[in-house]
Amino acid sequence: MMTFKTRIMKEKLESYFNNKYMFTLCFVISVINLSAQKVTIPIATDSNLILLQTDASNVLKTIYFGKPLENESEYPGVFDAYNFNDSNAGVYNGAYTPAGTWNLSEPAIQVKHADGNPSLELKYVSHQKEKVDNNATLTRILLKDPVYPFEVTLCYKVWAKENIIEQWTEIKHSEKKAVLLQKFASANLYFTNKDFYLTSFQGEYLKEMQPVESKLLQGIRTIDSKMGTRAMLLQTPNFILSFGKPASENQGTVMMGQLAWSGNFKMDYEIDSYKNLRLIAGINPFASEYSLQPNQVFKTPALLYALSNNGTGEASRNLHDWARKYRLLDGQGERLTLLNNWEATYFDFDEDKISALFKDAKDLGVDMFLLDDGWFGNKHPRNNDDAGLGDWQENVKKLPHGLGHLVKEAKKEGVKFGIWIEPEMVNPRSELYEKHQDWVIRQPQRPEVYFRNQMVLDLSNPEVQDFVFGIVDNLFTKNPELAFIKWDCNAVIYNAYSAYLNKKGIPQSNLYIDYVKGLYKVLERIRAKYPKVPMMLCSGGGGRGDYEFLKYFTEFWPSDDTEPVERIFLQWDYSYFFPAIATDNHVTDWGKQPIKFRIDVASMGKLGFDIVASHLNEKDKLFCKEAIANYNSFKNIVWHGDLYRLVNPHENDISAVMYVNPEKSKSVVFNYLVNNRYKLTATQRPVVLDGLNPKKKYTVKEINLYPGTTSTIASDKVYTGDFLMKVGINPNVTLQRTSVILEINEVN
Ligand code: GLA
């Protein structure tokens, strides 16, 4: 490694020759590098290797991203295998590409220094590796600007066994005044391959998480959000990249990633002139130039990615394992099945109506009753979605004895009690708005714009953070037995302007970022005081859901669309990124499918109900009870087992998904008809299973049979795992048998 003196000398020489003699430059740098060794930094998981290497001018580059190389001694030779030697060489593959100097492609970072100068150069200084535990390693690489006291640390946390990398960047300076960060990516990756395919997940309300796969062509494809709060409403920060050919379940090299940030994000996929891929992902710089004070650290959110050389199935299973072990709150724990009153009553209820539903919850056999929207507001009662948000006191007409009474009544029936809140929001018709207009994100000189008749509170303001924390804290202080929170967020941020930032002289362009940071602060405080209480993240359906949020939430609501056929697709697509234990699925009256179909579909995750149970006929009620008992018998396999996506509903008339326990002794296979055409060839073929032990023997039994029906599957027949994973089993899904759950049990 170079000494400080040599580096300074080298940099002086470089800048001199840079200006004067481009040709001589290459020579001088290579001479200098005869003494200054290239530094090679491996970032390795069990089945993937990233190699970063300094070049002749000490700029850090990505030189390899792929399967692990057997011999470390061959690392330094990798770069020579590529003929990147025109004027773009070394520009595209920068490990963190700055703007304003040599780079003219999309930058990872762009800044305006305290003196107004817009140039940045980042040179490698040092790196360190720290073993976090037997599985995880953290690599930190320090880069510095030779001219300004400005530095960037690239951080890579690697979970070797699961092949997961969490990558973020820390930015710091000691200039005389604040530096304006204009762009500040979390990660800047580089991949060499012939073809690249990107699956992004687009959506809208009731149509969340719709996959769109396309081949990346030269130029930049951008996936971004500018929605502020419910950032995932139109595009999500989840993606699948596949190398060489489109993603498939059991074959090919794939990277499954997510920017773990609960606000505006931007991911740029750029095919460069070598036809290689650059990926730059981070917080969306849109309207977000961030003013960074001297000696403060700006830590970007993380880009998380799972890597697999065996297709999306393996990558998902690894991501699920990682999430349950290391990220999702209580990922290895239990969840509560529930009955929710939203679609049963909407805003129209009183104490008696709710208490009667406790009986239904008990009759069904679920663990908890969840009281949804409409329980609060007095001066402006919450009888509709246009009033009351912000006034978190029980409505005395609807609930004269308060929530405490309901918690007790529920307990008498043997069910727990949970509650809905939307604490970041305010209706203009509320006492909160009347008292604290300055807490609301709004442009003081312009007409207000509403989303679902409401606006967003300014969480960059510490007083608002206290208020939001207080909502949750009051609920638990008054009702210590409260068992669950559904945390909703329906409005996007319009008219982004903060009275608080204005008062403090902080630029308005900090708002989008400080909002999210403020929200995380509140969640930190909640979890410090109430570490275990399960909380569901909801956002007018599935407008939110990322791995930063899931540090604080036990589960999330994927969509208000509960029509079960739609839901098969939606749950399939969410399952690429999230384990079943994190996704809440409720049985409702949406659509025309029978109750069996609806419950079977909702059982592939955390099961809940949002129906009027007392309106069910006797057979349906009996079926519900049996199905919940069955669910309780296999839920641990769904929540904690391995997921195998067997038949893709996007490509077939049926869909099949299975979960297997770690011992490979038990499995549940869910099969559905997703097409009502009269002639269905797909149903003539068996479903080929996966994840079993080929040597073990198994029986296959159909469960969740509707009362009065019999199964067409012989439950006494014994199969080897080998047979089931090569020939398969036909669930006999037909127009008459539209939903079939099979339980696979090892026989000794
Ligand atoms: C959102 C949620 C629903 C329900 C309503 C209540 O739309 O997604 O589940 O809680 O709010 O207003």
Side-chain angles (χ1 to χ4, degrees):
M1 208 179 294
M2 272 185 288
T3 63
F4 181 67
K5 251 188 170 170
T6 343
R7 213 175 45 240
I8 295 291
M9 200 183 80
K10 177 174 166 281
E11 269 154 15
K12 278 192 178 148
L13 271 169
E14 261 179 60
S15 71
Y16 174 73
F17 280 108
N18 238 337
N19 295 335
K20 295 241 166 162
Y21 303 108
M22 273 313 283
F23 283 110
T24 335
L25 170 76
C26 307
F27 170 72
V28 171
I29 288 175
S30 55
V31 168
I32 286 174
N33 260 309
L34 289 178
S35 57
Q37 256 189 354
K38 281 184 179 174
V39 179
T40 307
I41 309 169
I43 310 287
T45 68
D46 282 356
S47 58
N48 195 78
L49 174 70
I50 304 176
L51 286 181
L52 304 169
Q53 193 174 69
T54 53
D55 69 5
S57 53
N58 229 17
V59 172
L60 193 67
K61 304 286 165 66
T62 304
I63 57 156
Y64 183 77
F65 193 112
K67 290 181 184 163
L69 302 177
E70 296 285 320
N71 303 305
E72 249 183 68
S73 58
E74 289 185 304
Y75 287 177
V78 174
F79 185 70
D80 299 337
Y82 293 88
N83 283 332
F84 295 154
N85 50 17
D86 61 20
S87 55
N88 289 327
V91 173
Y92 293 143
N93 66 334
Y96 201 69
T97 322
T101 46
W102 48 268
N103 165 54
L104 300 177
S105 61
E106 186 62 30
I109 182 165
Q110 186 179 5
V111 307
K112 199 184 267 182
H113 294 285
D115 65 4
N117 186 295
S119 68
L120 184 68
E121 176 74 301
L122 291 170
K123 305 263 181 163
Y124 168 84
V125 175
S126 63
H127 74 280
Q128 67 199 54
K129 270 188 196 287
E130 173 199 329
K131 214 166 161 45
V132 180
D133 56 35
N134 278 340
N135 189 22
T137 317
L138 174 64
T139 306
R140 295 173 63 86
I141 308 172
L142 180 64
L143 312 176
K144 278 191 178 172
D145 188 332
V147 176
Y148 284 88
F150 188 98
E151 66 182 52
V152 161
T153 307
L154 306 180
C155 308
Y156 303 79
K157 188 167 179 187
V158 163
W159 286 268
K161 184 167 159 263
E162 292 83 8
N163 293 299
I164 305 280
I165 300 181
E166 183 181 24
Q167 184 179 344
W168 72 95
T169 301
E170 293 171 6
I171 303 170
K172 205 178 139 188
H173 69 87
S174 53
E175 299 187 19
K176 297 232 159 51
K177 285 189 293 182
V179 169
L180 207 55
L181 306 183
Q182 295 165 307
K183 194 169 182 196
F184 26 79
S186 301
N188 177 177
L189 296 169
Y190 193 69
F191 314 90
T192 55
N193 210 306
K194 194 175 158 299
D195 295 309
F196 300 92
Y197 294 83
L198 170 71
T199 308
S200 59
F201 293 82
Q202 323 283 124
E204 60 180 87
Y205 180 57
L206 301 181
K207 276 180 138 193
E208 293 88 343
M209 235 15 215
Q210 312 267 320
V212 180
E213 185 175 51
S214 55
K215 186 175 171 178
L216 290 168
L217 301 175
Q218 206 160 337
I220 300 184
R221 176 152 157 72
T222 297
I223 305 294
D224 80 336
S225 168
K226 304 182 189 75
M227 316 296 284
T229 46
R230 40 187 310 190
M232 287 172 61
L233 185 59
L234 302 179
Q235 316 211 52
T236 81
N238 304 299
F239 65 91
I240 303 174
L241 264 182
S242 41
F243 304 97
K245 54 184 182 194
S248 81
E249 194 61 11
N250 294 314
Q251 281 173 6
T253 301
V254 295
M255 168 176 177
M256 235 143 65
Q258 177 193 87
L259 187 82
W261 174 246
S262 313
N264 295 346
F265 58 85
K266 185 167 191 256
M267 300 183 296
D268 284 321
Y269 304 84
E270 178 179 17
I271 300 290
D272 67 18
S273 61
Y274 296 130
K275 307 280 192 279
N276 288 326
L277 173 64
R278 309 179 70 225
L279 165 57
I280 296 180
I283 293 176
N284 197 337
F286 162 74
S288 292
E289 288 189 330
Y290 199 85
S291 170
L292 182 67
Q293 295 302 323
N295 300 314
Q296 286 191 356
V297 178
F298 183 89
K299 184 176 173 193
T300 71
L303 181 74
L304 276 165
Y305 43 99
L307 301 155
S308 167
N309 297 311
N310 302 305
T312 46
E314 184 185 83
S316 286
R317 284 184 290 282
N318 279 335
L319 198 47
H320 297 173
D321 271 352
W322 169 86
R324 283 181 300 227
K325 260 191 241 156
Y326 303 110
R327 185 51 69 100
L328 174 67
L329 188 79
D330 204 17
Q332 292 179 300
E334 297 284 306
R335 296 293 185 269
L336 300 167
T337 55
L338 60 85
L339 175 66
N340 189 189
N341 70 310
W342 174 238
E343 292 185 18
T345 66
Y346 292 105
F347 297 96
D348 179 22
F349 58 80
D350 59 20
E351 215 163 69
D352 291 344
K353 218 174 185 179
I354 294 299
S355 298
L357 295 176
F358 300 157
K359 279 205 168 45
D360 288 352
K362 188 193 176 181
D363 265 9
L364 283 173
V366 293
D367 304 317
M368 190 187 72
F369 175 83
L370 169 62
L371 179 60
D372 213 284
D373 197 354
W375 58 268
F376 48 88
N378 284 298
K379 183 174 172 194
H380 302 283
R382 180 79 171 165
N383 292 329
N384 207 325
D385 63 14
D386 64 357
L389 265 188
D391 302 345
W392 298 101
Q393 300 81 35
E394 295 95 324
N395 177 280
V396 289
K397 267 204 192 138
K398 287 182 186 171
L399 307 177
H401 300 96
L403 288 174
H405 171 74
L406 291 181
V407 179
K408 266 194 222 129
E409 289 300 299
K411 195 175 179 185
K412 274 191 210 155
E413 290 294 347
V415 286
K416 295 182 192 298
F417 185 86
I419 198 149
W420 178 97
I421 52 174
E422 195 179 359
E424 299 156 75
M425 302 284 153
V426 61
N427 282 128
R429 287 216 294 138
S430 68
E431 290 184 70
L432 179 68
Y433 181 91
E434 286 162 6
K435 271 192 230 140
H436 281 297
Q437 226 187 49
D438 57 324
W439 284 7
V440 182
I441 294 180
R442 58 194 288 281
Q443 284 284 357
Q445 295 161 321
R446 294 186 189 277
E448 288 177 348
V449 187
Y450 307 126
F451 193 110
R452 207 197 189 204
N453 306 307
Q454 65 196 54
M455 290 186 289
V456 181
L457 292 175
D458 176 9
L459 272 165
S460 73
N461 182 344
E463 275 187 274
V464 178
Q465 293 168 19
D466 289 345
F467 170 78
V468 173
F469 170 75
I471 297 167
V472 177
D473 195 32
N474 284 342
L475 281 169
F476 284 127
T477 314
K478 287 194 193 144
N479 311 287
E481 290 189 79
L482 198 64
F484 186 89
I485 299 267
K486 176 178 176 184
W487 180 303
D488 210 339
C489 159
N490 280 284
V492 299
I493 296 182
Y494 289 128
N495 275 335
Y497 183 90
S498 154
Y500 167 78
L501 292 179
N502 187 42
K503 204 164 99 191
K504 291 277 163 192
I506 300 170
Q508 286 297 326
S509 54
N510 278 32
L511 178 59
Y512 282 121
I513 295 173
D514 284 351
Y515 181 91
V516 180
K517 290 190 168 172
L519 179 55
Y520 291 155
K521 272 191 201 156
V522 173
L523 292 167
E524 281 292 335
R525 281 169 75 185
I526 292 173
R527 283 313 181 188
K529 193 157 176 195
Y530 307 101
K532 277 255 147 126
V533 188
M535 295 210 296
M536 173 211 275
L537 179 65
C538 173
S539 183
R544 279 176 163 181
D546 63 72
Y547 277 117
E548 194 58 31
F549 258 143
L550 291 178
K551 284 179 177 169
Y552 310 103
F553 289 87
T554 48
E555 53 220 85
F556 73 97
W557 182 236
S559 177
D560 277 357
D561 185 351
T562 50
E563 196 289 315
V565 177
E566 291 296 334
R567 199 77 184 191
I568 290 169
F569 289 78
L570 202 95
Q571 290 171 198
W572 176 281
D573 294 321
Y574 271 108
S575 82
Y576 285 108
F577 301 92
F578 301 101
I581 191 170
T583 48
D584 286 342
N585 303 329
H586 292 182
V587 175
T588 68
D589 288 329
W590 283 45
K592 297 198 170 93
Q593 300 297 332
I595 190 87
K596 169 174 165 52
F597 194 100
R598 287 182 270 153
I599 297 187
D600 287 358
V601 172
S603 296
M604 297 187 297
K606 199 207 84 169
L607 176 65
F609 290 80
D610 204 342
I611 51 172
V612 188
S614 57
H615 291 176
L616 294 170
N617 67 39
E618 282 313 306
K619 267 189 171 178
D620 279 1
K621 202 178 275 175
L622 179 63
F623 174 75
C624 284
K625 288 184 185 183
E626 287 174 3
I628 293 167
N630 281 336
Y631 178 77
N632 286 333
S633 76
F634 65 65
K635 66 187 180 191
N636 267 317
I637 306 174
V638 173
W639 293 349
H640 303 293
D642 287 326
L643 163 76
Y644 291 86
R645 285 179 292 259
L646 305 176
V647 185
N648 186 339
H650 293 284
E651 297 163 1
N652 296 280
D653 297 329
I654 67 165
S655 175
V657 159
M658 79 189 273
Y659 301 86
V660 188
N661 70 353
E663 300 76 30
K664 299 185 183 293
S665 60
K666 257 181 171 299
S667 162
V668 212
V669 189
F670 297 86
N671 310 273
Y672 308 99
L673 187 71
V674 292
N675 186 343
N676 276 327
R677 291 180 66 180
Y678 189 66
K679 270 285 179 199
L680 298 164
T681 40
T683 63
Q684 293 165 348
R685 284 195 290 267
V687 169
V688 180
L689 305 190
D690 205 341
L692 300 172
N693 181 336
K695 300 260 179 304
K696 285 189 174 175
K697 293 199 170 93
Y698 299 93
T699 53
V700 179
K701 182 182 161 203
E702 182 172 354
I703 57 167
N704 272 19
L705 283 165
Y706 190 75
T709 60
T710 48
S711 178
T712 58
I713 312 283
S715 61
D716 50 357
K717 217 169 155 187
V718 175
Y719 305 86
T720 60
D722 176 65
F723 181 91
L724 291 172
M725 293 193 292
K726 286 178 180 158
V727 178
I729 175 100
N730 198 319
N732 301 331
V733 169
T734 63
L735 288 167
Q736 289 69 45
R737 281 166 55 82
T738 54
S739 164
V740 176
I741 302 187
L742 302 174
E743 197 179 78
I744 316 276
N745 281 300
E746 181 184 355
V747 281
N748 294 313

